[in-house]
Amino acid sequence: MSGDPTLERIARGNALALCATGSWTARFAPVLERMVADAEKLGGTRPNIFIDVSQVSKLDTFGAWLIERLRRSLTRGGIEAQIAGLSANYASLVDEVRRVKAEPVVETNAVTISGMLEQIGRTVAGIGGTLIGLIDMLGAVIAATGHVLIRPRGFRLTSTVHHLEQVCWRAVPIVVLITFLIGCIISQQGIFHFRKFGADIFVVDMLGVLVLREIGVLLVAIMVAGRSGSAYTAELGSMKMREEIDALRTMGFDPIEVLILPRMLALVLALPILAFLGAMAALYGGGLVAWVYGGVDPEAFLLRLRDAISIDHFIVGIIKAPVMAAVIGIVACVEGLAVQGSAESLGQHHSVRQAAIARTQSAGGGQGSKDGNLKKTDTNRREPEQVFAWPGAAAPHPQGGTKPNPANAASTRRAIL
């Protein structure tokens, strides 16, 4: 009884008994795994199957889980396989293992035309919902911009400058470094292949056109989407989870005007600047490699570059930057505001935002949450500092109702200032 484990099959009329003997412990894991895997194939062969464990001498958690797994595998059509002869010493262990939630059974349905059409319809509906959300955000941003143009006092300059610093100024080092390296790689690979035809100098044409028209602004947009777009989604999603955006609406402020518009404006201003700096860094890197690796001296490089490109190449590239910035900002803000009340939802919308931006840019060719001090916009609206000035949670508000909870007020004030 204390030897190696076994699992014998004994037929008893229409029933089948699986008699386990020996030591069912982790020490014999390979042997037990093979025996249980073979026994699991017997499911459905007999109407009644029993697992007799009366001769098991030792049982640990590993062995108990294998017995429970075997019982679950042999259960078919509502007829549950029974475990017989269980010792009182091991009954509590087996019961505890049985409480472990079973893995959900994945139903594999046959592929049908109706199923395919249903899946296509769901996909199209999802895409339509996403487009409606993006158009709705675009319209809200345009409306908020018109409101600010009509009433310039509502424009939050402090918030815009803050986000411009985060998006543009602090992104300069990484953007310049990456675009410099990309320019070096394009130049090196171009010289390597053009040299076979004795056309080393034509690498200047390729570098100038690629960097100014396409590669430069696209790489910068991807970096900004990964850096600043992710930050926008995380910031707005966190504020949505803490109900700070609802608090803004309760206070009479428009979240689009307070939170979205400064971020969008900073992004639209920053991306053309970063694209210009990135293009210059890429051209410098390409010229450096062409000089060191290809023997093209700087004077010849500049002369060839002047003949190969024109101001139209630069305009075609730089005009894409504001459009890409608007796409990045709108997608990031839509996904941030769509976050529900859980961290899992924040992660899901963060991933959706990245995929949506990548698809949009392909088709088209760490910031803080400081949004400036909320200023008084009319004679009937108070400053948020004044709204949260009263201590206590249930005292009446001077303009009616009850004042906000100071704990929630503090977090809201930190988010919007």
Side-chain angles (χ1 to χ4, degrees):
M1 294 177 59
S2 61
D4 295 343
T6 60
L7 186 62
E8 300 179 359
R9 307 172 189 176
I10 300 177
R12 298 174 181 175
N14 293 330
L16 177 65
L18 300 177
C19 299
T21 61
S23 178
W24 281 60
T25 60
R27 176 185 175 187
F28 303 98
V31 178
L32 292 173
E33 285 282 1
R34 287 194 298 270
M35 290 192 304
V36 171
D38 293 338
E40 286 177 338
K41 301 176 182 178
L42 300 175
T45 58
R46 297 293 179 94
N48 297 314
I49 299 180
F50 298 89
I51 305 174
D52 186 0
V53 295
S54 59
Q55 302 300 318
V56 174
S57 58
K58 292 182 180 180
L59 184 67
D60 62 3
T61 306
F62 179 79
W65 169 245
L66 286 181
I67 292 174
E68 175 62 19
R69 193 184 83 181
L70 179 59
R71 185 193 67 81
R72 294 178 181 181
S73 300
L74 296 177
T75 300
R76 292 289 186 273
I79 301 176
E80 184 176 356
Q82 300 295 327
I83 299 177
L86 184 61
S87 172
N89 297 330
Y90 303 129
S92 60
L93 178 60
V94 175
D95 290 340
E96 189 68 27
V97 172
R98 183 172 295 183
R99 295 192 185 99
V100 177
K101 186 177 179 180
E103 296 182 358
V105 178
V106 179
E107 297 182 359
T108 56
N109 298 325
V111 178
T112 60
I113 296 179
S114 60
M116 295 174 61
L117 293 177
E118 178 184 1
Q119 185 63 32
I120 293 174
R122 292 181 182 274
T123 303
V124 172
I127 295 174
T130 302
L131 292 177
I132 292 175
L134 296 177
I135 295 173
D136 181 66
M137 176 60 69
L138 178 61
V141 170
I142 294 175
T145 304
H147 184 266
V148 169
L149 292 177
I150 296 173
R151 303 185 62 180
R153 292 184 58 188
F155 178 65
R156 288 163 175 81
L157 181 61
T158 303
S159 176
T160 304
V161 172
H162 169 75
H163 289 295
L164 188 60
E165 177 193 3
Q166 299 293 328
V167 175
C168 183
W169 175 249
R170 298 194 179 186
V172 168
I174 185 64
V175 168
V176 169
L177 175 62
I178 297 299
T179 52
F180 173 81
L181 295 177
I182 292 297
C184 293
I185 293 172
I186 292 175
S187 180
Q188 188 271 334
Q189 289 296 314
I191 292 174
F192 178 79
H193 292 285
F194 288 159
R195 182 171 291 172
K196 301 175 182 178
F197 309 98
D200 298 20
I201 194 64
F202 286 102
V203 72
V204 181
D205 302 57
M206 180 184 70
L207 181 67
V209 174
L210 277 179
V211 167
L212 293 180
R213 289 180 66 98
E214 303 293 343
I215 297 294
V217 64
L218 182 60
L219 286 176
V220 172
I222 292 173
M223 286 186 281
V224 169
R227 183 180 181 274
S228 301
S230 299
Y232 285 1
T233 302
E235 290 170 4
L236 296 174
S238 299
M239 295 179 68
K240 184 71 179 297
M241 290 168 56
R242 295 194 297 263
E243 299 182 350
E244 296 173 8
I245 295 178
D246 296 333
L248 279 176
R249 293 191 179 97
T250 303
M251 294 160 57
F253 293 99
D254 182 10
I256 302 297
E257 184 178 333
V258 175
L259 302 176
I260 308 300
L261 188 59
R263 287 173 166 83
M264 290 287 299
L265 183 59
L267 205 58
V268 171
L269 293 176
L271 194 54
I273 299 173
L274 293 175
F276 172 77
L277 295 177
M280 296 302 103
L283 291 176
Y284 181 81
L288 183 62
V289 170
W291 182 26
V292 175
Y293 180 74
V296 180
D297 57 15
E299 183 177 359
F301 181 89
L302 293 176
L303 290 174
R304 183 66 186 181
L305 184 63
R306 185 181 64 182
D307 296 336
I309 63 174
S310 65
I311 191 65
D312 293 336
H313 293 86
F314 175 75
I315 293 176
V316 169
I318 207 69
I319 203 173
K320 300 175 184 177
V323 179
M324 291 185 175
V327 171
I328 294 170
I330 289 174
V331 173
C333 294
V334 166
E335 295 300 330
L337 294 177
V339 172
Q340 303 301 320
S342 66
E344 181 182 3
S345 176
L346 177 60
Q348 290 175 349
H349 286 283
H350 189 277
S351 302
V352 170
R353 180 208 62 81
Q354 291 179 325
I357 290 177
R359 288 195 298 267
T360 306
Q361 289 180 348
S362 298
Q367 285 74 4
S369 58
K370 180 178 180 184
D371 287 280
N373 296 325
L374 298 178
K375 301 178 181 180
K376 185 188 297 183
T377 57
D378 54 52
T379 57
N380 296 324
R381 179 177 293 174
R382 291 180 176 267
E383 294 288 332
E385 289 83 357
Q386 296 173 347
V387 173
F388 293 134
W390 299 280
H397 193 285
Q399 297 183 2
T402 58
K403 60 191 172 186
N405 187 340
N408 295 336
S411 62
T412 305
R413 186 189 306 174
R414 286 195 299 270
I416 62 180
L417 295 182

